[in-house]
Amino acid sequence: MCLARLGAEGNIQSFFSDGRLHSSGIVDMLDWNRLIDERMKISDLLVVPNLQTGQLEPLLSRFTEEEERQMKRMLQRLDVLAKHAVENGVRLMVDAEQTYFQPAISRLTVEMKRSFNRDKAVVFNTYQCYLKEAFDNVSMDVELSRREGWCFAAKLVRGAYMYQERSRAAEIGYEDPINPDYESTNRMYHRCLDYVLEEIQRNKKVNVMVASHNLDTVKHTLRRMNEMGLQPTDKKVCFGQLLGMCDQISFPLAQAGFPVYKYVPYGPVNEVIPYLSRRAQENRGFMKGVQMERELLWKELMRRLSSGQILYTPPV
């Protein structure tokens, strides 16, 4: 009733009784099945309370019929993908974009988790750890999964839109959402990772992909897993690197029994090249890693030449 004393009017109780608390602290009134229902208008569901009038008002007042159809088709395609992932026993990882797109992406991903992550981790959300709010986003979604009983699943990345984010923040005049330096981003990544590993220790249905080319991060993950008694064979922690990058990290991890995935960028050249250039910006030690890999390959070649074992035959 505090809201009523502040001047809010209307059926305020329904804001809380009909909805669920979302990670941002707002009342969540969406449901995945309603979102993909052809009979339901998206604009009717995307409503927010007006604190002055106490009434629910449309978030998008100018949603055209074509925009409504496009949104509905997009949601239905997501539903098909998630069902296909469940049927084939694979994971569906939703990537992250700029902060001015990401809330909508994360919002829909949470709805998908509610529907498809009931028994095991199928849908993964991506958390960009170069953001100042990264830990808050991770911890709030973990708490939401605890309250609602679905399986939390995350892909942790550092982030790839630093220059765009800072340029836009300076242009429009809001606070820079990016951590001030690379070291603080590393600390944020490890903080988020530690939190999720602790959640895995508490709930074996939680999953995380450590999507990183950073050797220190991989070592940190292995050390923390060893301290917590988390085994590679549990397959709750997996690693991801781009195909052709950091094989000196990927192969030893796979040989040690960890699930390792190699990302293959696929698409038109004009879209793939900018993607790869952002990965290079994200990984400042990229050339150093290439040099290390080159040295390791040279040592292995010399070892094989000196031992007379040119072709390697793995043990059966």
Side-chain angles (χ1 to χ4, degrees), residues 170-183:
E171 180 181 349
I172 298 180
Y174 58 86
E175 181 184 352
D176 182 358
I178 307 296
N179 287 315
D181 50 46
Y182 190 72
E183 288 69 28

Side-chain angles (χ1 to χ4, degrees), residues 23-24 97-103 106 127-141 165 175-179 188 191-192:
S23 61
S24 64
E97 300 297 334
Q98 293 91 337
T99 53
Y100 36 98
F101 297 134
Q102 191 55 40
S106 293
Y127 298 89
Q128 301 179 100
C129 295
Y130 70 171
L131 295 176
K132 295 175 182 176
E133 63 178 17
F135 182 78
D136 291 341
N137 293 337
V138 171
S139 58
M140 285 296 185
D141 282 357
E165 294 283 9
E175 181 184 352
D176 182 358
I178 307 296
N179 287 315
M188 178 66 77
R191 185 186 181 195
C192 293

Side-chain angles (χ1 to χ4, degrees), residues 237-267:
V237 180
C238 59
F239 295 86
Q241 290 96 34
L242 276 166
L243 182 66
M245 285 181 65
C246 295
D247 287 347
Q248 76 276 10
I249 295 177
S250 307
F251 284 102
L253 286 171
Q255 290 173 344
F258 288 94
V260 180
Y261 297 84
K262 299 297 281 188
Y263 281 37
V264 182
Y266 176 82

Side-chain angles (χ1 to χ4, degrees), residues 23-34:
S23 61
S24 64
I26 65 172
V27 176
D28 170 21
M29 308 188 79
L30 295 184
D31 178 81
W32 183 252
N33 291 327
R34 294 174 70 200

